[in-house]
């Protein structure tokens, strides 16, 4: 790994983002992690050896306000913040009619694709020559998961335009699309044993992924060696993406 670079990992307080931030910090990079829960974030930052900046990546005013605390130059941006908001805030079923459905749908779009686009746009002039933009997508973009899958599919389309827009500056933009990854808060305790077994059964290596499986791909895409890999989606799901 190159070191002493300036790295920003959104949603770096838990799960995949935390593992990515820790790996970069251990390699001697300067790491900033972001998230909404101050206590979770500051404790994670202390453990990982990173700097915490608390803000909601899906809120334009909050991103704007956070800019002065974010690094003036960014070598690697990992847009990791996100998750299936249906699992935490509901899928609109308990809310009023179509308005409730639309509100739930928009929550997933904001959480997963607007957040990545907003932070990338806000930092666009701070990205160094040859910088790396890595956004965490999901197998759900292809296997479907209502508005969450739609949001992660939108991430892939958006990523292509980012790769094109920044390519002349030697900047790459890629999506890493995990399948089931353990040791995260993603399911908020709502993953049944039956569903877990089914998701593992869909993999070719018959196991759940780990945050470190994702770290390995993120660190490669962030490396100088990966300069000709851009606009891509790299799947980290034990082949589950291909069906069996
Ligand atoms: N775990 C899986 O099986 C899996 C599979 C495919 C893709 N993914 C994707 O992997 C990424 C990381 O998720 P994870 O699995 O590591 O779950 P996680 O442990 O829930 O991590 C998500 C992190 O993002 C932060 N976050 C969420 N929304 C945010 C926002 N609007 N602004 C700032 N921070 C925000 C959360 O912190 P706060 O709540 O404090 O903000 C949390 O630390 C997500 O994009 C997720 O969709 C996960």
């Amino acid at each position: 790994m190159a070191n002493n670079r300036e790295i920003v990992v959104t949603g770096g307080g838990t799960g995949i983002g935390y593992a990515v931030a820790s790996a970069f910090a251990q390699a001697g990079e300067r790491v900033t992690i972001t998230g909404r829960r101050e206590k979770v974030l500051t404790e994670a930052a202390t453990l990982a050896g990173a700097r915490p900046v608390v803000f909601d990546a899906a809120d334009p005013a909050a991103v704007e306000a956070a800019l002065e605390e974010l690094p003036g130059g960014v070598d690697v941006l990992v847009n990791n913040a996100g998750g299936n908001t249906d699992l935490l805030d509901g899928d609109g079923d308990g809310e009023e009619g179509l308005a409730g459905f639309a509100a739930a749908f928009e929550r997933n779009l904001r959480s997963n694709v607007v957040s990545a686009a907003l932070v990338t746009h806000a930092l666009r002039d701070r990205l160094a020559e040859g910088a790396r933009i890595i956004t965490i997508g999901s197998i759900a973009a292809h296997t479907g998961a209502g508005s969450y899958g739609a949001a992660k599919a939108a991430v892939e389309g958006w990523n292509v335009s980012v790769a094109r827009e920044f390519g002349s500056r030697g900047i790459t933009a890629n999506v890493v699309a995990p399948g089931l990854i353990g040791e995260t808060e993603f399911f908020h305790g709502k993953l049944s044993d039956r569903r877990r077994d089914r998701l593992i059964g869909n993999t070719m290596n018959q196991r759940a992924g780990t945050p470190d499986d994702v770290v390995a791909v993120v660190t490669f895409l962030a490396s100088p060696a990966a300069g000709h890999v851009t606009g891509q989606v790299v799947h980290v799901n034990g082949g589950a993406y291909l069906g069996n």
Side-chain angles (χ1 to χ4, degrees):
M1 221 185 275
N3 53 27
N4 207 28
R5 294 177 299 178
E6 205 64 73
I7 317 260
V8 175
V9 183
T10 68
T14 64
I16 294 169
Y18 175 77
V20 166
S22 301
F24 279 127
Q26 274 163 30
E29 315 277 21
R30 285 170 286 158
V31 184
T32 301
I33 59 173
T34 82
R36 294 166 298 182
R37 290 166 296 169
E38 184 167 9
K39 188 164 183 287
V40 169
L41 196 71
T42 49
E43 285 175 5
T46 304
L47 281 173
R51 202 169 61 84
V53 181
V54 179
F55 68 95
D56 181 347
D59 176 349
V63 175
E64 185 99 56
L67 273 176
E68 64 185 68
E69 289 180 71
L70 290 170
V74 176
D75 298 295
V76 180
L77 169 61
V78 184
N79 290 310
N80 162 82
N84 187 344
T85 52
D86 289 353
L87 295 172
L88 200 59
D89 303 321
D91 60 5
D93 249 9
E95 295 167 63
E96 205 52 35
L98 281 180
F101 177 82
F105 208 102
E106 286 167 6
R107 278 199 288 273
N108 253 328
L109 293 177
R110 271 199 304 279
S111 174
N112 291 285
V113 62
V114 175
S115 59
L118 253 180
V119 174
T120 303
H121 189 71
L123 294 176
R124 67 194 183 287
D125 295 332
R126 300 187 186 186
L127 293 169
E129 181 97 15
R132 305 281 187 255
I133 302 166
I134 298 155
T135 303
I136 307 301
S138 173
I139 191 174
H142 303 273
T143 56
S147 54
Y148 175 66
K152 291 301 196 185
V155 162
E156 295 186 7
W158 164 78
N159 177 66
V160 174
S161 53
V162 173
R164 202 169 275 136
E165 180 182 349
F166 294 113
S168 62
R169 289 162 59 189
I171 296 171
T172 66
N174 292 288
V175 172
V176 177
L180 172 65
I181 303 292
E183 303 158 46
T184 73
E185 295 181 353
F186 181 84
F187 287 97
H188 302 287
K190 291 184 182 134
L191 179 64
S192 67
D193 288 346
R194 199 164 152 214
R195 173 120 195 269
R196 188 172 193 280
D197 289 348
R198 190 168 54 76
L199 293 175
I200 291 173
N202 290 341
T203 65
M204 295 176 183
N205 52 359
Q206 299 298 301
R207 70 166 175 88
T210 66
D212 282 347
D213 289 323
V214 182
V215 168
V217 178
V218 169
T219 50
F220 164 67
L221 290 172
S223 71
H228 204 47
V229 181
T230 194
Q232 304 302 308
V233 178
V234 182
H235 291 274
V236 185
N237 50 48
Y241 158 66
L242 297 164
N244 58 14

